[in-house]
Amino acid sequence: MDVRTAIRQRRAYRSLAPAAIGDELIADLAECAGLAPSCFNKQPWRFVFARGEGALSRLRSAMNPGNEWTNEASLIVAVCTRRDLDCVMKDGREYALFDTGMASANLILRATELGLVAHPIAGYDPVKVRTILEIPADLTVVTLINIGSRADAIRRGLPDWAVAAESARPERLPFERFAFIDRYQG
Ligand SMILES: Cc1cc2nc3c(=O)[nH]c(=O)nc-3n(C[C@H](O)[C@H](O)[C@H](O)COP(=O)(O)O)c2cc1C
């Protein structure tokens, strides 16, 4: 699969079915994430791959209402970082979240290439997640990436907007709203 195809194929589906999560898959996803660029190669990302039934069921209790569809995830990747693990420029620019986001995108696209759904979320209690996964308190849990196979049928109980999103990608901004040539025109 070429990169463009993976980018187009990736979707935040909410109807998940079980997927086999072996050590090789985790190593593969971690390798692809870890090959992302980062400021001075600081590699500020940290990932916890939760695949055991105990960890997964405890994580379910940390999800916000509306994210019950994550109950069917076979692997939940907690993506963590800390400001000082990456460049903090004198003028205030900080790169930990940016670089961790690039690593996460690599992981998500690789999962897509492998035929999996990889859906990042912000709707969870980060304090609970840290406790469940024994993540140090000074790390930010930036996202949980929910991974599984795509279910054949749409999950029951999804709200109408989410049902619609299972078949049609939510709309994107047109080129002229976010891309400019030669000068900013927003
Ligand atoms: C940082 C972030 C947080 C998100 N949080 C949630 C969430 O809590 N629950 C959810 O169902 N989807 C969540 N999503 C998925 C987005 O709703 C989805 O990516 C967006 O609607 C675009 O759809 P698409 O990814 O299928 O193109 C999140 C995505 C990102 C990147």
Side-chain angles (χ1 to χ4, degrees):
M1 186 181 284
D2 64 26
V3 176
R4 193 179 204 214
T5 303
I7 289 169
R8 287 181 161 172
Q9 201 154 297
R10 184 214 59 80
R11 285 291 321 281
Y13 293 116
R14 297 180 177 84
S15 305
L16 303 183
I21 309 296
D23 292 346
E24 270 180 28
L25 173 68
I26 291 175
D28 187 334
L29 296 177
E31 184 200 359
C32 291
L35 287 174
S38 60
C39 187
F40 274 99
N41 196 28
K42 283 178 178 278
Q43 305 170 65
W45 44 77
R46 302 289 183 267
F47 299 98
V48 181
F49 292 86
R51 67 166 170 189
E53 197 36 55
L56 288 175
S57 71
R58 284 192 288 278
L59 283 174
R60 283 177 202 135
S61 70
M63 299 297 178
N64 286 359
N67 278 337
E68 293 80 7
W69 58 266
T70 62
N71 290 354
E72 284 84 56
S74 299
L75 173 67
I76 299 180
V77 187
V79 179
C80 311
T81 192
R82 208 177 57 219
R83 179 179 177 269
D84 62 288
L85 290 176
D86 208 333
C87 299
V88 177
M89 313 301 273
K90 288 200 181 96
D91 57 22
R93 283 172 292 140
E94 299 178 5
Y95 284 92
L97 288 173
F98 178 77
D99 292 347
T100 300
M102 286 199 287
S104 302
N106 277 8
L107 186 156
I108 288 170
L109 289 176
R110 175 61 176 151
T112 303
E113 181 177 49
L114 293 171
L116 298 166
V117 174
H119 183 155
I121 60 167
Y124 53 84
D125 180 333
V127 176
K128 282 189 188 166
V129 172
R130 270 204 296 265
T131 304
I132 292 163
L133 299 178
E134 300 179 32
I135 295 166
D138 58 354
L139 288 188
T140 301
V141 183
V142 182
T143 188
L144 297 179
I145 303 175
N146 294 270
I147 295 180
S149 298
R150 188 180 176 194
D152 294 330
I154 292 179
R155 187 183 201 273
R156 289 167 70 166
L158 288 178
D160 289 348
W161 63 266
V163 170
E166 293 299 89
S167 31
R169 186 193 286 281
E171 224 176 282
R172 292 305 204 258
L173 294 174
F175 180 95
E176 57 278 9
R177 286 281 309 280
F178 72 92
F180 314 109
I181 294 172
D182 289 340
R183 67 185 177 88
Y184 194 93
Q185 289 168 285

